[in-house]
Amino acid sequence: MPAPIPRQRAVPAAESGQAQTGPAIGGPSGDSSGGLTGDSSAAASTAVSGAVSGATEAPRTQDTVDDDTVTADKAGDKTDDGKADNRPADAVPSAAHAQAPAYGTPTGHLTLLMIEDDPGGSPVVPELLDPTGKPIRVRTARNLTEAERLLTDDVHCILLDLALPAPARAGDGTDDELAVLRHVLRLAPHHAVLALTASGDTERGAEAVRVGAQDYLFRDELDGRLLSRAIRYAVERKRSDRAERKLTESKLRAQENARLERGLLPTPLLEGSPLRFAARYRPGRSRALLGGDFYDTVRTPDGTVHAMIGDVCGHGPDEAALGVELRIAWRALTLAGLCGDQLLGTLQQVLEHERSDDEIFATLCTVDIAPDGRRAGLCLAGHPSPLLACPGRPAELLPYDNNGPALGLLPGARWPRTQVELGAEWSLMLYTDGLIEGRIGEGRRERLGQDGMVAMVRRQLAEGLRGEELLRAAVNEVRDLNGGELTDDVAVLLLDRTP
């Protein structure tokens, strides 16, 4: 708890139209010490100065990520929302600035609301100054009802006399000497509060800070200069507390997002398969939350390798959670022996039961590769067709004539399974539409599209890129062509077979 600091009483300003002039405490108005001895005034000044300098440095949290892209082996380590703003507290935007003013910004005046039942008898301090040397504006209220009317968004700090009677509606039949403070904290949760109490009542002042006030002052030991600094200290301490709370909330959201990403981007189950696996995932940076891209790969006991990639429409935790449910359901159904139309029909039932809105749908691409690795079955549910690359011929899209509707659009829909020949050596790339919807060209007026993507991958294959290097180059080039981060999430999955 902070020690009691001798300071001078704030002035009721003419702004409220209720303040009256009275004598200064401790001597003539020109005596800024307020009747304190030189030693005690200097000690008080030093104490407040230390408090102010300590309050202006906001708590810092280092929670940044160097690589925005999640790879298959590090999908669970990637965070998005947990990026900390490691600036000083006076530069950190508060999470609640939409409800409260920007405290102490150089472009505006600080405003103090003084709640005191006898403003006419209050001492007058000629001038209270903010850090830029501008006068601190003071409003006065004689009771809580009047204070509620004067508590507008341009008020930065409240000076509250704890001797005020608590409002009748705030009482609960118990003797709570801080009931008036609790009421003000509920009334103004985003404002700094200074508690004013009787001289020597350290215990009550300390309890006021514990309840939620930023500091406490003694009623009969105030100094205009030190009071100005106490107001600035309270404002900065409130700003610091709010910045720390915002960073803590961001870290918690980042942890939740990381858990969702681990559900969206699982470890493939390919033990015993000769196929090589690589994947890449990049969340869209136009949002703070996750999207609904997901993928999975498993090998069943008969040696068949099943791969899937999908995208739930929309962006956010609800869509991401639904994507996790669909991925887990796909893995369970695949391991149970379902595939093709039967599997997709069951997934549509899962989506219809779990979605929060009837307009939510999901696109999906599934591939089942035969144990010999030379042929595969393909099912498309409103999803872009995979890209197949084989030695000696250009990379091309697999047939998409039998593309069925997205899951959740048509009750009783069917999804035909197309048989495709892969050959002895090949690379098969599955992707979400974030990879092909980036902008290109002058003015970024055109989409890359599937044709642009095919041409890009052909060139990269000709340059000798394979596996993880190919996916990294493809995602980075699409981002560069877009002129910056993509607005949609990108997920890409690559399976390779070599003789």
Side-chain angles (χ1 to χ4, degrees):
M1 300 296 179
I5 302 172
R7 304 176 184 132
Q8 185 175 344
R9 176 39 98 42
V11 209
E15 180 181 349
S16 67
Q18 299 166 355
Q20 300 178 14
T21 303
I25 291 180
S29 60
D31 183 3
S32 62
S33 68
L36 302 175
T37 64
D39 292 341
S40 63
S41 177
S45 176
T46 302
V48 175
S49 176
V52 172
S53 64
T56 56
E57 183 67 21
R60 299 183 179 187
T61 301
Q62 181 66 32
D63 191 17
T64 58
V65 180
D66 293 330
D67 186 2
D68 289 339
T69 305
V70 182
T71 58
D73 57 341
K74 294 184 178 180
D77 298 331
K78 170 68 184 66
T79 64
D80 182 15
D81 286 350
K83 289 190 176 181
D85 193 344
N86 296 307
R87 296 174 289 172
D90 59 356
V92 176
S94 168
H97 274 181
Q99 295 85 13
Y103 300 142
T105 54
T107 57
H109 292 267
L110 282 172
T111 301
L112 173 73
L113 174 60
M114 185 170 65
I115 309 175
E116 213 274 318
D117 61 352
D118 187 18
S122 300
V124 173
V125 180
E127 191 174 54
L128 298 174
L129 302 178
D130 68 12
T132 64
K134 298 178 182 178
I136 296 177
R137 299 180 298 190
V138 182
R139 297 177 182 173
T140 60
R142 289 170 292 190
N143 52 56
L144 295 178
T145 302
E146 195 171 295
E148 187 171 356
R149 179 176 58 84
L150 295 175
L151 187 62
T152 54
D153 285 347
D154 60 338
V155 172
H156 303 84
C157 184
I158 298 171
L159 180 62
L160 172 66
D161 189 348
L162 297 180
L164 279 174
R169 62 178 180 274
D172 55 2
T174 61
D175 185 15
D176 184 1
E177 61 180 6
L178 295 179
V180 64
L181 173 61
R182 299 180 196 276
H183 179 78
V184 168
L185 292 175
R186 288 193 297 269
L187 187 67
H190 305 298
H191 295 73
V193 176
L194 290 171
L196 193 62
T197 187
S199 298
D201 195 356
T202 304
E203 183 176 349
R204 190 181 190 188
E207 180 67 12
V209 173
R210 188 192 68 79
V211 168
Q214 273 59 60
D215 201 353
Y216 65 94
L217 309 172
F218 291 143
R219 185 179 295 107
D220 300 325
E221 297 178 354
L222 297 176
D223 175 88
R225 179 172 57 88
L226 296 182
L227 178 57
S228 296
R229 298 180 69 183
I231 294 169
R232 301 200 302 267
Y233 161 75
V235 168
E236 290 300 333
R237 181 174 177 180
K238 184 70 174 181
R239 182 203 295 266
S240 175
D241 290 344
R242 290 158 64 84
E244 183 178 14
R245 187 181 305 113
K246 178 184 178 182
L247 292 178
T248 301
E249 292 172 352
S250 295
K251 291 184 69 175
L252 292 175
R253 285 195 299 269
Q255 293 170 3
E256 293 175 356
N257 284 350
R259 287 194 292 271
L260 279 174
E261 285 187 354
R262 284 193 292 272
L264 290 167
L265 316 176
T267 302
L269 298 179
L270 289 176
E271 185 176 357
S273 172
L275 302 183
R276 293 183 301 176
F277 171 90
R280 202 78 174 164
Y281 177 74
R282 182 188 291 274
R285 285 294 180 264
S286 63
R287 305 176 311 281
L289 299 174
L290 292 173
D293 289 8
F294 56 96
Y295 62 78
D296 202 353
T297 305
V298 299
R299 180 176 183 268
T300 50
D302 64 355
T304 302
V305 172
H306 303 261
M308 171 271 292
I309 195 165
D311 184 3
V312 177
C313 71
H315 309 289
D318 291 340
E319 289 76 11
L322 182 55
V324 172
E325 291 183 89
L326 292 175
R327 185 200 65 76
I328 294 174
W330 177 87
R331 174 175 283 198
L333 293 170
T334 299
L335 292 174
L338 275 68
C339 68
D341 186 75
Q342 186 180 12
L343 185 148
L344 291 176
T346 307
L347 285 179
Q348 174 158 283
Q349 293 180 31
V350 174
L351 182 145
E352 291 172 346
H353 283 287
E354 297 297 331
R355 62 186 177 184
S356 58
D357 190 293
D358 289 343
E359 296 183 357
I360 292 178
F361 62 90
T363 66
L364 200 69
C365 169
T366 67
V367 175
D368 55 278
I369 302 170
D372 63 6
R374 291 178 171 271
R375 61 189 182 281
L378 170 67
C379 286
L380 297 174
H383 200 88
S385 182
L387 179 70
L388 176 65
C390 299
R393 66 186 191 199
E396 60 183 1
L397 297 175
L398 291 182
Y400 50 86
D401 296 337
N402 288 331
N403 194 338
L407 302 182
L409 291 184
L410 299 176
R414 304 299 300 271
W415 296 270
R417 178 177 177 273
T418 303
Q419 187 78 15
V420 294
E421 294 296 326
L422 301 177
E425 184 178 354
W426 48 264
S427 295
L428 186 64
M429 189 175 81
L430 286 66
Y431 52 93
T432 57
D433 58 7
L435 188 67
I436 60 177
E437 291 186 349
R439 299 288 180 174
I440 62 171
E442 185 178 355
R444 306 293 190 271
R445 297 176 181 176
E446 300 178 5
R447 298 279 190 185
L448 174 64
Q450 288 182 293
D451 291 340
M453 181 204 66
V454 170
M456 176 188 70
V457 173
R458 285 177 178 174
R459 174 172 43 79
Q460 292 169 343
L461 287 170
E463 295 171 357
L465 298 179
R466 297 293 185 274
E468 182 65 37
E469 289 185 356
L470 174 63
L471 296 189
R472 183 184 300 111
V475 173
N476 288 341
E477 183 168 339
V478 169
R479 180 190 60 181
D480 294 341
L481 290 172
N482 190 62
E485 294 296 348
L486 300 164
T487 58
D488 198 5
D489 305 302
V490 175
V492 192
L493 182 155
L494 186 68
L495 290 171
D496 291 304
R497 184 180 187 270
T498 56

